Amino acid sequence: MGRNCKAIPRNLRNVEGDPDVQLLAQRALARTDFQPAGNQLNIMAAVWIQANVHDWVGHYDAVDEVTLAKGKASGCPMASFRFKKTKEHPEDPQSDNPTYPGFRTNWWDASFVYGNSSTQVNNARSGKGGKLKTSTEHPNTQPRDKNGVVLIGDNKNSWLGVELLQEVFAKEHNYVAEQIGKNHDNMSDQEIFDATRNVIAALVAKIHTADWTVELLKTRNLQVGMYTNWYGLPYGI
């Protein structure tokens, strides 16, 4: 949106102004009747996009908090809620069009499986055969700490659904790494890991482009566009 319209000057911004966001949410998003979508979507569709958001976007929290408390007047189930402001880039704190640094990588690299920094990635690796670490207590599953939190990948704001996909792709990583190692015994642990991560990242991109998005929107034009994007024009049309 920032590329397509002018930013509102900082002095005119007011998250507690009218119309308030809880009213907008209640009027635009609330459902009073059940809307079936079982022939098109299921809970895994939501799981998938949440996992990919873990791959794409993540801003730092600032110290200051905001409380929105007009929900009761608009009939919103959440009468009030509190959240932290997004941390602005330190180089332009007074700019009318501030930027916001992110802690997640800018690439579609399956970082929700591997982590967002070299430290996280290195901690996820077993150091043998290009594979990821697995649990010593439950073989071929992701390792967890004493509280049950997954120790590899991106686990901020996670839940069972996202962890399920992390588990699936971690297993796929180790399987692909094993196959590459069997067929290329001259490759090092680092080379096998890098090659395998490329495979997994490509698999995630393919599923999102040619499967998830096509099924979500279900239009012929969208299908042609996504198939052309992934497979090329002859296949797309």
Side-chain angles (χ1 to χ4, degrees):
M1 291 296 294
R3 294 191 298 269
N4 298 320
C5 59
K6 293 182 179 180
I8 299 175
R10 183 189 295 271
N11 65 321
L12 297 180
R13 300 179 189 184
N14 179 14
V15 297
E16 298 180 7
D18 293 320
D20 68 271
V21 295
Q22 289 165 291
L23 173 62
L24 289 174
Q26 189 66 15
R27 295 287 178 86
L29 301 176
R31 289 182 174 178
T32 57
D33 300 311
F34 176 68
Q35 301 291 330
N39 63 342
Q40 179 178 356
L41 299 172
N42 56 33
I43 191 65
M44 291 307 297
V47 170
W48 179 265
I49 194 60
Q50 287 180 314
N52 276 273
V53 168
H54 276 66
D55 192 322
W56 301 332
V57 182
H59 292 129
Y60 294 100
D61 291 334
V63 176
D64 296 338
E65 292 186 340
V66 175
T67 299
L68 301 180
K70 297 182 179 180
K72 185 175 182 180
S74 60
C76 180
M78 293 183 66
S80 67
F81 66 99
R82 183 176 60 187
F83 58 92
K84 290 186 176 181
K85 290 184 176 181
T86 301
K87 185 178 181 179
E88 296 180 7
H89 196 288
E91 293 183 2
D92 56 0
Q94 302 304 317
S95 170
D96 270 348
N97 190 17
T99 57
Y100 304 90
F103 59 84
R104 291 188 170 119
T105 59
N106 295 322
W107 315 108
W108 206 350
D109 56 4
S111 54
F112 73 94
V113 179
Y114 301 98
N116 297 293
S117 66
S118 57
T119 299
Q120 286 182 320
V121 173
N122 290 333
N123 286 340
R125 295 175 58 181
S126 68
K128 297 180 180 179
K131 293 184 176 182
L132 298 174
K133 291 178 180 176
T134 57
S135 170
T136 56
E137 185 177 357
H138 303 287
N140 199 32
T141 64
Q142 293 188 102
R144 298 174 180 270
D145 66 16
K146 63 181 181 180
N147 296 315
V149 177
V150 174
L151 293 175
I152 67 175
D154 186 330
N155 56 26
K156 184 175 183 180
N157 298 328
S158 190
W159 67 292
L160 177 62
V162 174
E163 287 186 10
L164 176 63
L165 284 184
Q166 289 174 319
E167 186 78 50
V168 167
F169 283 108
K171 283 180 165 63
E172 183 71 3
H173 174 101
N174 284 349
Y175 173 78
V176 172
E178 185 173 320
Q179 299 308 306
I180 291 176
K182 286 180 179 179
N183 290 279
H184 302 277
D185 56 9
N186 61 325
M187 292 178 67
S188 66
D189 168 68
Q190 184 67 52
E191 290 172 329
I192 296 175
F193 176 82
D194 290 341
T196 303
R197 183 169 182 175
N198 282 339
V199 171
I200 300 303
L203 179 59
V204 170
K206 185 270 178 186
I207 292 172
H208 189 84
T209 303
D211 300 320
W212 186 89
T213 305
V214 170
E215 187 63 25
L216 176 71
L217 300 180
K218 274 190 178 302
T219 68
R220 172 60 179 163
N221 290 343
L222 188 282
Q223 183 183 47
V224 169
M226 293 295 99
Y227 282 4
T228 299
N229 179 308
W230 190 259
Y231 298 108
L233 184 60
Y235 185 94
I237 59 176

